[in-house]
Amino acid sequence: MVEGDRADALQRIVHTISTRFVGAADLDRAIDDTLREMGDATGADRVYLFLLRVDDATLLDNTHEWCRAGVTPQKEHLQRLPRDLFPWWMREMERGRTVHVASLDDLPPEAEAERELLAAQDIQSLAALPVQKQHTLGGFIGLDAVSGYQCDVVADN
């Protein structure tokens, strides 16, 4: 799929999210289906949802994850993560900015903690979009490339 086609497909998926989730009998399945569709539309190897914990907003949980065949899931290792473990990333998310990293070498010096964590998961490039909950940051959706694909379908804000 060419870049414009991927962006159009992703836009269509995002458009259907609101109708899919309203009144969903099985919200977890709706989220899983959406992550799979995002992965298929963009060519990402792993797509996931992180949410700030309701009982303690200083912690993040990887609540849902879709992986392309052959890609190692990370969800079970990414629970109760202190949000201050990712200072640069969380500042960007709180500002409502998309994080787009074509290569881990492109991360700014202040994102060294993020670089180490991403490299440990074999991530080569990624895009992450903030998720708003009642006008504040609720978490983020991420799209990872571990097999060389550049997650470049989401433009920087």
Side-chain angles (χ1 to χ4, degrees):
M1 213 181 263
V2 298
E3 184 176 333
D5 292 340
R6 282 192 214 124
D8 289 345
L10 187 58
Q11 283 287 51
R12 285 191 300 277
I13 292 166
V14 170
H15 178 71
T16 64
I17 288 173
S18 60
T19 57
R20 177 178 286 162
F21 294 153
V22 173
D26 186 345
L27 184 57
D28 287 324
R29 182 177 174 133
I31 293 169
D32 290 340
D33 289 347
T34 299
L35 297 181
R36 177 186 44 77
E37 289 174 18
M38 291 175 76
D40 288 343
T42 63
D45 294 314
R46 185 185 299 121
V47 185
Y48 46 86
L49 174 63
F50 270 86
L51 294 175
L52 291 165
R53 294 182 65 91
V54 173
D55 61 335
D56 184 352
T58 66
L59 299 174
L60 288 158
D61 291 324
N62 185 179
T63 62
H64 296 80
E65 177 184 57
W66 169 87
C67 295
R68 188 167 306 289
V71 174
T72 305
Q74 298 294 316
K75 180 180 165 185
E76 69 182 62
H77 308 292
L78 301 172
Q79 303 300 313
R80 299 186 59 82
L81 300 177
R83 78 188 277 163
D84 61 5
L85 188 62
F86 323 99
W88 173 80
W89 184 294
M90 292 308 294
R91 275 194 307 275
E92 294 300 300
M93 293 289 111
E94 287 166 355
R95 293 176 179 150
R97 294 183 181 158
T98 297
V99 170
H100 177 246
V101 180
S103 165
L104 297 188
D105 294 335
D106 295 340
L107 284 166
E110 62 267 27
E112 186 58 34
E114 290 87 344
R115 181 186 341 274
E116 290 176 15
L117 182 67
L118 297 169
Q121 297 175 60
D122 296 322
I123 296 169
Q124 296 181 26
S125 62
L126 66 95
L129 304 92
V131 172
Q132 297 292 314
K133 181 178 179 184
Q134 298 174 349
H135 307 291
T136 62
L137 182 66
F140 59 88
I141 294 174
L143 300 95
D144 293 347
V146 298
S147 62
Y149 171 80
Q150 301 269 327
C151 291
D152 58 0
V153 297
V154 182
D156 292 329
N157 294 13

